[in-house]
Amino acid sequence: MIGSAWHDLADAVLALEMELRELSMWRSERPTPEALSSHAPFCVDTLTFDQWLQWIFIPRMVDIIEQGEGMPGACNIRPMGEEAFAHLGQQHMRLIEVLGDIDRLATRLV
């Protein structure tokens, strides 16, 4: 069951990347090292939420999944996504669902 949960989480993280690409939010240009080293939650002072997902969250989740030793804590990223992507209207619904899936699956692995 735990192995299956890790696979499900990996699939959800991949779905997040695919959804960001589908919405043209995936960027080829990496933010500056300074922007990536912010200590503010979600790097709100230096990155947009979609940049944070791409450059901070997804790589960190991949590392955690590859190690398979357990999540450090609950994610709870859906509420931030709801706020950050509200301007997209109906377009953001699948993206919000994926964030909720990640929250749910990660909680099972804490």
Side-chain angles (χ1 to χ4, degrees):
M1 173 128 165
I2 293 293
S4 172
W6 285 109
H7 290 288
D8 292 346
L9 181 58
D11 288 346
V13 171
L14 180 59
L16 173 58
E17 177 180 337
M18 292 177 5
E19 193 61 25
L20 289 171
R21 287 179 185 275
E22 180 72 25
L23 293 169
S24 299
M25 293 179 172
W26 196 262
R27 296 181 173 97
S28 57
E29 189 172 321
R30 184 175 181 82
T32 66
E34 295 79 19
L36 294 170
S37 64
S38 168
H39 294 290
F42 306 106
C43 298
V44 296
D45 58 339
T46 59
L47 300 176
T48 61
F49 188 62
D50 53 290
Q51 288 176 310
W52 178 83
L53 289 169
Q54 178 180 350
W55 299 104
I56 305 288
F57 181 75
I58 291 174
R60 174 116 169 86
M61 291 301 292
V62 168
D63 288 345
I64 290 170
I65 292 166
E66 288 176 351
Q67 292 171 10
E69 296 175 1
M71 293 293 296
C75 286
N76 297 318
I77 59 171
R78 182 181 173 141
M80 182 65 180
E82 290 172 342
E83 183 177 323
F85 300 129
H87 68 282
L88 296 175
Q90 290 295 343
Q91 277 187 301
H92 84 298
M93 295 311 292
R94 175 69 185 129
L95 181 56
I96 298 305
E97 288 174 12
V98 171
L99 294 175
D101 290 344
I102 290 171
D103 285 348
R104 180 180 47 80
L105 293 163
T107 299
R108 290 176 33 197
L109 294 165
V110 173

